[in-house]
């Protein structure tokens, strides 16, 4: 045993001596110089050391070791965090939800100080907020606050840069460290770095900012908005260049770009490289060096030729005739051409690494744009060539939808910003991305009504839903006698005879209280009486909407509000609403046929009496007529079917100012309902046949008839031959029509030459084979 231990000890000693004599030098080097080698490893590789790595790029493009002016992304992030101490803000940490609990989502704009400079763009933003249904004049009711100080342009070199913002906002008693404030900004930073600095401490305020960097963007708190010019329209806006449901012609160019290329500074690398993909055939890249006052000082060998080629093709022509438009970054991440490409149905190819796309929280840009990488520019042509034609058409149609729904005006940009913030307050009742990215768009879908697609009138066909098989007859009674008129009794009898009628609701809008229940006729369906709302003079509040009758007359009260008929009454439970005036004359067959037509077109107004609008070029105003012509654009709600969702849209989407306009002008509420539905659907109403022609008085106030064949560029059609001018001027209906067109920024009404009749209507066949034979009786 001892001999065995001795051999093991000698073997170990011999191994150690051999290692010392033959490997000692390496051990000593490792022990004494390990620190130096670790230092060498930390600084390797040196990309400009040609002995280590062969360079395939120009020396100016390579990052220099130890250059303090070129910060890494992590260092840039750290610098931004130090400047923005509230960068970790989230809705849960920097927003006071309790301010929104009592009065809901209300927005207060600071009063404008005398002599305070304000740009045209910021004036439009403030006007959009003040025109919205969320605006309040009382700061104590506000959930969100907007500064009156113009913060759009924070470039120190700009003439619109507002100085001493920090000092000004600290003097505001409502500032509270920026909590519950929203700051709008289009231009941040200045030459040469164009960083995201605003030049003042934003505190806990949310930012609605263009050219947002993904590193500085706070998800769920900030909002990325598009860069728009001062010429961008306040409301309405021009429509997209691709008509709805039309297949675009084959475009001449596949991929185009025309713009300035920066010779030096940030953003120059991407634009300088665009000439590599230019082939002069279906891929066009035209750039000019003429940018800035000292561009000739930095011009390169390509500048002269580029400047000449740049003038050969028109920019608008390229937009019209190209399938894809390259949207590279400029000095800042978000360029103007992004919105230009959307409007032109030219699919944007984005080359702006790190850009938080506008409203990306709600919009699925993968359906409307190609998001490329600046580093993989040479792969863009082959990538876009692989997209199949049907996919291209889907891209183009989506660009038009997004442009019209969210970007065509300042109003829509601002309202989209507010709606996104409002959705954050109640995530369980917020709009889904599907609703934001499909017609008619998130702005026109009220989550307070429902979050289920089947409850809206727009998705039945796409998702296999069907509207309810019953309707609610909603009759507005305005008789001053306070008793039941014979036309009203006959109307209740005819409507209740329909097998599709679920209930009858009578809105009693008379000065006197409704008769007791024993005076009302017996019907096969439930009959509900609702007292109309009245606004108490000097009280600033509404009374009414009570069930039943029995209240004493109140002669001190003004007449009921005209817009009351479109209030979302809880008594209406069916999808379909048959809106009726008490003097309307309809048969049961007419009601049944109109309802069957509506079930095929649940998003439209379907009814009987119609009118048409026209443009009067002599007076430069809109007019309307009820003459029997071959065109119509309105179906009056005196006898019409529509979806009950439009009651909620009328009462909650439209601002109070429009409803007050309706209450102040006679017979304006049905025009506003037609304008609203047309603005939502972009479709005309549908007229169905009826036994007795019903004409509503619009001709009395018709504008002058334009000369034959003369049309206004913005008018759908001119006045019909029967329209006559009046000596007394325009009627209230035409005043209403023109004020609505001014508020929307365009004329939403769509003309149609369609009327639907039953199959076999007036055909020479047996009456027994016809489903609605009574419609042919005089």
């Amino acid at each position: 045993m001892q001999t065995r231990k001795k051999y093991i000890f000698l073997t170990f000693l011999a191994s150690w001596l051999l290692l010392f004599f033959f490997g000692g030098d390496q051990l000593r080097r490792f022990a004494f110089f390990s620190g130096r080698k670790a230092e060498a490893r930390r600084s390797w590789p040196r990309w400009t050391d040609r002995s280590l790595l062969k360079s395939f790029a120009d020396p100016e493009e390579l990052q220099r070791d130890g250059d303090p002016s070129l910060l890494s992304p992590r260092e840039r992030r750290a610098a931004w965090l130090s400047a923005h101490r509230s960068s970790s803000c989230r809705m849960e940490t920097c927003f006071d939800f309790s301010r929104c609990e009592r009065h809901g989502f209300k927005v207060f704009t600071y009063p404008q100080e005398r002599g305070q400079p304000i740009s045209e763009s910021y004036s439009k933003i403030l006007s959009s907020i003040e025109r919205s249904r969320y605006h309040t004049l009382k700061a104590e009711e506000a959930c969100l606050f907007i500064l009156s100080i113009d913060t759009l342009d924070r470039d120190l070199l700009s003439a619109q840069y507002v100085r001493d913002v920090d000092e000004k906002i600290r003097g505001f008693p409502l500032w509270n460290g920026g909590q519950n404030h929203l700051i709008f900004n289009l231009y941040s930073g200045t030459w040469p770095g164009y960083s995201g600095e605003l030049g003042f401490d934003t505190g806990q305020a949310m930012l609605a900012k263009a050219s947002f960097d993904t590193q500085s963007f706070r998800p769920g708190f900030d909002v990325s908005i598009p860069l728009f010019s001062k010429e961008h329209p306040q409301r309405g806006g021009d429509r997209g260049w691709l008509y709805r449901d039309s297949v675009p012609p084959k475009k001449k160019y596949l991929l185009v770009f025309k713009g300035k290329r920066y010779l030096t500074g940030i953003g120059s690398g991407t634009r300088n490289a665009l000439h590599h993909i230019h082939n002069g055939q279906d891929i066009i890249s035209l750039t000019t060096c003429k940018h800035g006052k000292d561009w000739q000082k930095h011009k390169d060998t390509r500048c002269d030729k580029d400047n000449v080629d740049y003038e050969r093709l028109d920019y608008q022509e390229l937009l019209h005739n190209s399938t894809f438009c390259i949207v590279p970054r400029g000095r800042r991440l978000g360029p103007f051409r992004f919105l230009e490409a959307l409007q032109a149905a030219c699919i944007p190819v984005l080359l702006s690494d790190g850009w938080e796309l506008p409203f990306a929280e709600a919009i699925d840009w993968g359906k409307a744009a190609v998001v490329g990488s600046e580093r993989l520019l040479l792969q863009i042509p082959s990538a876009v060539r692989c997209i199949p034609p049907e996919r291209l058409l889907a891209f183009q149609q989506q660009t038009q939808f997004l442009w019209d729904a969210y970007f065509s005006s300042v109003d829509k940009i601002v309202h989209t910003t507010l709606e996104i913030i409002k959705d954050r307050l109640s995530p369980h009742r917020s709009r889904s991305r599907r609703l934001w990215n499909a017609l008619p768009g998130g702005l026109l879908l009220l989550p307070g009504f429902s979050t289920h697609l089947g409850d809206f009138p727009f998705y039945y066909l796409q998702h296999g839903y069907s509207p309810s098989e019953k309707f609610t007859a909603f009759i507005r009674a305005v008789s001053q006698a306070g008793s039941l008129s014979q036309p009203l009794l006959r109307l209740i009898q005819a409507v209740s005879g329909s097998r599709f009628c679920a209930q009858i609701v009578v809105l009693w809008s008379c000065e006197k209280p409704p008769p007791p229940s024993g005076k009302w006729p017996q019907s096969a369906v439930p009959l509900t009486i609702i007292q109309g709302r009245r606004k108490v003079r000097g009280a600033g509040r509404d009374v009414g909407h009570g069930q039943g009758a029995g209240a004493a007359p109140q002669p001190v009260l003004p007449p009921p509000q005209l817009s009351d008929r479109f209030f979302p009454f809880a008594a209406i439970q069916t999808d379909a609403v048959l809106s009726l005036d008490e003097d309307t004359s309809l048969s049961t067959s007419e009601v049944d046929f109109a309802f069957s037509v509506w079930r095929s077109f649940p998003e439209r107004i379907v009814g009987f009496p119609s009118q048409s609008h026209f443009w009067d070029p002599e007076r430069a105003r809109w007019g309307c007529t009820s003459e029997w012509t071959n065109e119509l654009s309105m179906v009056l709600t005196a006898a019409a079917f529509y979806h009950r969702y439009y009651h909620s849209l009328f009462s909650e989407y439209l601002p109070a100012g429009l409803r007050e306009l309706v209450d102040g002008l006679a017979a304006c509420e049905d025009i506003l309902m037609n304008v609203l539905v047309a603005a939502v659907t972009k479709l005309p109403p549908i007229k169905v046949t009826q036994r007795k022609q019903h004409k509503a008085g619009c001709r009395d106030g018709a504008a002058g008839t334009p000369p034959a064949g003369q049309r206004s560029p913005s008018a759908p059609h001119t006045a019909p031959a029967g329209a006559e001018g009046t000596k007394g001027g325009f009627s209230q209906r035409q005043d209403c029509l023109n004020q609505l067109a001014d508020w929307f920024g365009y004329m939403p009404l769509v003309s149609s030459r369609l009327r639907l009749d039953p199959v076999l209507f007036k055909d020479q066949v047996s009456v027994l084979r016809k489903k609605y034979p009574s419609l042919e009786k005089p």
Side-chain angles (χ1 to χ4, degrees):
M1 188 68 183
Q2 293 182 353
T3 305
R4 187 176 181 180
K5 290 182 179 180
K6 183 186 298 184
Y7 284 134
I8 293 175
F9 176 74
L10 291 175
T11 302
F12 175 76
L13 181 61
S15 300
W16 188 85
L17 292 174
L18 290 174
L19 180 62
F20 178 79
F21 285 110
F22 294 99
D25 184 61
Q26 285 77 4
L27 289 175
R28 287 190 298 269
R29 290 183 181 180
F30 177 80
F32 292 105
F33 302 103
S34 57
R36 184 178 301 175
K37 284 209 169 187
E39 181 182 356
R41 282 195 298 270
R42 284 195 298 269
S43 61
W44 189 90
R46 296 179 180 271
W47 300 110
T48 54
D49 191 343
R50 299 188 179 184
S51 64
L52 294 178
L53 181 67
K54 182 178 179 181
S55 175
F56 294 92
D58 296 333
E60 290 78 10
E61 298 178 10
L62 302 176
Q63 180 177 348
R64 295 179 174 84
D65 293 337
D67 189 349
S69 64
L70 299 175
L71 302 178
S72 67
R74 178 173 296 181
E75 290 170 328
R76 289 198 302 269
R77 173 70 172 170
W80 191 91
L81 290 176
S82 64
H84 297 76
R85 289 171 292 182
S86 58
S87 59
S88 60
C89 273
R90 295 293 182 267
M91 294 293 290
E92 297 79 8
T93 59
C94 297
F95 193 89
D96 184 5
F97 286 85
S98 63
R99 295 197 64 98
C100 313
E101 293 176 354
R102 183 174 180 181
H103 300 284
F105 187 71
K106 295 295 183 180
V107 184
F108 176 79
T109 56
Y110 280 61
Q112 191 75 25
E113 296 182 3
R114 182 176 299 179
Q116 179 175 292
I118 185 171
S119 63
E120 182 178 353
S121 296
Y122 199 63
S123 177
K124 290 180 179 179
I125 290 177
L126 296 179
S127 176
S128 297
I129 297 173
E130 293 166 358
R131 284 164 40 87
S132 74
R133 65 185 185 276
Y134 298 128
H135 182 250
T136 179
L137 296 174
K138 300 178 180 179
E140 60 272 14
E141 296 180 355
C143 168
L144 190 67
F145 298 88
I146 310 295
L147 295 175
S148 60
I149 301 175
D150 188 351
T151 57
L152 289 187
D153 195 340
R154 302 306 298 163
D155 189 338
L156 285 169
L157 302 179
S158 173
Q160 295 181 340
Y161 180 83
V162 179
R163 303 185 182 278
D164 303 324
V165 174
D166 260 325
E167 180 180 349
K168 294 178 180 178
I169 62 178
R170 280 198 298 267
F172 294 150
L174 298 174
W175 175 244
N176 191 27
Q179 194 175 60
N180 288 55
H181 280 68
L182 178 64
I183 295 175
F184 285 90
N185 174 256
L186 295 181
Y187 309 98
S188 60
T190 187
W191 173 268
Y194 292 96
S195 62
E197 298 295 328
L198 299 186
F200 65 95
D201 185 9
T202 58
Q204 297 181 345
M206 292 181 286
L207 298 181
K209 186 173 177 292
S211 301
F212 234 132
D213 187 347
T214 54
Q215 292 185 344
S216 58
F217 179 76
R218 297 168 291 184
F221 192 72
D222 294 325
V223 180
S224 178
I225 63 175
L227 180 66
F228 59 89
S229 65
K230 63 180 181 180
E231 292 82 16
H232 207 59
Q234 172 75 64
R235 52 188 177 270
D238 297 332
R239 62 170 298 168
W241 296 358
L242 180 67
Y243 288 90
R244 182 181 180 184
D245 297 330
S246 63
V247 178
K250 185 178 180 180
K251 301 296 183 70
K252 180 179 180 180
Y253 303 111
L254 173 69
L255 184 65
V256 300
F257 172 79
K258 181 178 181 181
K260 299 172 181 177
R261 69 177 177 95
Y262 308 119
L263 298 173
T264 60
I266 190 171
S268 60
T270 302
R271 297 199 175 201
N272 278 331
L274 291 176
H275 73 281
H276 290 296
I277 63 174
H278 172 83
N279 62 15
Q281 299 175 2
D282 62 343
I283 299 179
I284 304 297
S285 176
L286 303 177
T287 59
T288 178
C289 300
K290 296 179 179 179
H291 176 73
K293 299 179 180 179
D294 56 348
W295 68 271
Q296 292 184 342
K297 185 188 304 181
H298 303 284
K299 64 181 296 187
D300 53 24
T301 56
R302 288 175 26 221
C303 279
D304 292 335
K305 183 178 184 302
D306 286 353
N307 293 340
V308 174
D309 294 341
Y310 183 82
E311 304 297 335
R312 291 180 179 176
L313 291 175
D314 180 68
Y315 177 63
Q316 297 296 326
E317 179 184 351
L318 288 175
L319 287 179
H320 274 285
N321 293 283
S322 180
T323 305
F324 295 92
C325 286
I326 301 177
V327 183
R329 65 162 298 158
R331 295 300 192 192
R332 299 175 178 89
L333 292 174
F336 287 111
R337 68 182 65 245
F338 178 66
L339 292 186
E340 297 169 353
L342 280 183
Q343 182 184 7
C346 189
I347 304 171
V349 178
L350 305 178
L351 296 176
S352 184
D353 295 350
W355 181 25
E356 178 70 21
L357 297 181
F359 306 137
E361 181 176 341
I363 296 177
D364 184 2
W365 286 108
K367 297 181 179 180
V370 176
V371 181
S373 172
E374 297 179 52
R375 299 174 297 172
L376 303 178
L377 171 64
L378 299 182
Q379 297 182 13
I380 295 297
S382 59
V384 298
R385 291 185 193 277
C386 295
I387 301 178
E390 61 274 13
R391 185 62 178 158
L392 293 179
L393 181 57
F395 268 104
Q396 291 171 327
Q397 290 176 334
Q398 192 69 2
T399 61
Q400 300 303 274
F401 159 66
L402 294 177
W403 164 259
D404 180 71
Y406 307 119
F407 299 108
S408 61
S409 66
V410 177
D411 273 5
K412 292 177 181 178
I413 293 174
V414 173
H415 294 168
T416 302
T417 303
L418 297 181
E419 292 292 342
I420 289 177
I421 297 175
K422 182 176 180 290
D423 274 0
R424 296 172 182 171
L425 302 181
S426 302
H428 60 287
R429 300 184 64 182
S430 62
R431 306 164 182 83
S432 66
R433 284 177 67 88
R434 177 181 294 182
L435 296 180
W436 281 103
N437 290 276
L439 288 169
L443 294 183
L444 297 170
L445 294 175
L446 304 178
F449 176 79
S450 177
T451 56
H452 176 57
L453 295 179
D455 293 334
F456 295 95
F458 316 111
Y459 307 106
Y460 292 123
L461 182 61
Q462 298 94 321
H463 301 281
Y465 302 121
S466 297
S468 58
E469 297 181 355
K470 298 285 185 176
F471 69 84
T472 297
F474 191 77
I475 305 174
R476 182 168 180 260
V478 294
S479 175
Q480 300 303 317
S483 60
L484 299 178
S485 62
Q486 289 300 316
L488 177 59
L489 295 176
R490 288 194 296 267
L491 183 61
I492 292 177
Q493 183 179 7
V495 173
S496 63
S498 172
R499 60 190 178 94
F500 302 112
C501 183
Q503 62 175 340
I504 298 176
V505 177
V506 177
L507 176 63
W508 192 260
S509 299
C510 307
E511 293 286 340
K512 297 182 180 180
S517 57
K519 298 290 185 179
W520 291 88
Q522 297 294 324
S523 63
V525 296
L527 178 64
T528 304
I529 314 301
I530 298 179
Q531 183 73 46
R533 291 182 303 171
R534 301 170 186 267
K535 182 163 289 188
V536 180
R537 288 190 177 98
R541 59 185 179 89
D542 294 336
V543 297
H545 282 172
Q547 303 287 340
Q554 300 182 30
V556 297
L557 297 179
Q561 302 175 62
L562 297 176
S563 60
D564 198 49
R565 71 184 307 167
F566 300 127
F567 185 83
F569 296 99
I572 302 176
Q573 295 295 321
T574 60
D575 291 335
V577 178
L578 173 58
S579 176
L580 298 166
D581 284 349
E582 64 174 332
D583 58 348
T584 300
S585 177
L586 288 177
S587 66
T588 303
S589 295
E590 289 174 309
V591 172
D592 288 347
F593 174 66
F595 179 66
S596 65
V597 172
W598 176 86
R599 294 196 79 237
S600 299
F601 305 94
E603 76 279 10
R604 304 202 207 184
I605 298 178
V606 176
F608 300 94
S610 63
Q611 292 181 359
S612 60
H613 74 292
F614 61 89
W615 178 256
D616 183 1
E618 294 181 358
R619 293 181 173 88
R621 294 192 58 162
W622 294 98
C624 67
T625 180
S626 58
E627 292 290 334
W628 297 339
T629 65
N630 288 320
E631 288 189 343
L632 64 98
S633 57
M634 290 180 283
V635 167
L636 304 185
T637 54
F641 280 97
Y642 51 80
H643 198 281
R644 70 185 179 98
Y645 174 65
Y646 291 123
H647 276 204
S648 297
L649 209 60
F650 187 98
S651 300
E652 299 174 22
Y653 170 75
L654 297 176
L658 277 186
R659 296 194 297 273
E660 292 173 0
L661 170 66
V662 167
D663 294 331
L665 295 176
C668 185
E669 76 279 3
D670 54 352
I671 296 180
L672 178 54
M673 176 58 82
N674 275 268
V675 169
L676 174 63
V677 175
V680 173
T681 63
K682 309 296 188 297
L683 296 171
I686 295 178
K687 178 180 174 61
V688 294
T689 189
Q690 64 183 127
R691 288 186 306 145
K692 298 180 180 179
Q693 295 292 340
H694 173 83
K695 292 174 63 179
C698 185
R699 178 181 173 181
D700 293 340
T705 304
Q710 181 175 350
R711 294 172 180 260
S712 168
S714 60
H717 56 283
T718 52
E724 299 177 359
T726 60
K727 298 179 181 179
F730 294 110
S731 69
Q732 287 188 341
R733 290 184 68 83
Q734 296 198 334
D735 288 339
C736 169
L737 190 63
N738 283 277
Q739 291 187 52
L740 293 181
D742 179 69
W743 189 90
F744 280 88
Y746 70 107
M747 172 52 72
L749 294 176
V750 181
S751 297
S752 172
R753 297 183 178 181
L754 174 69
R755 189 188 77 179
L756 295 184
D757 300 333
V759 179
L760 302 180
F761 180 71
K762 292 189 176 181
D763 286 351
Q764 298 300 319
V765 297
S766 172
V767 176
L768 299 178
R769 298 176 59 185
K770 298 183 179 183
K771 189 172 183 179
Y772 304 100
S774 62
L775 295 183
E776 302 181 21
K777 297 178 182 180

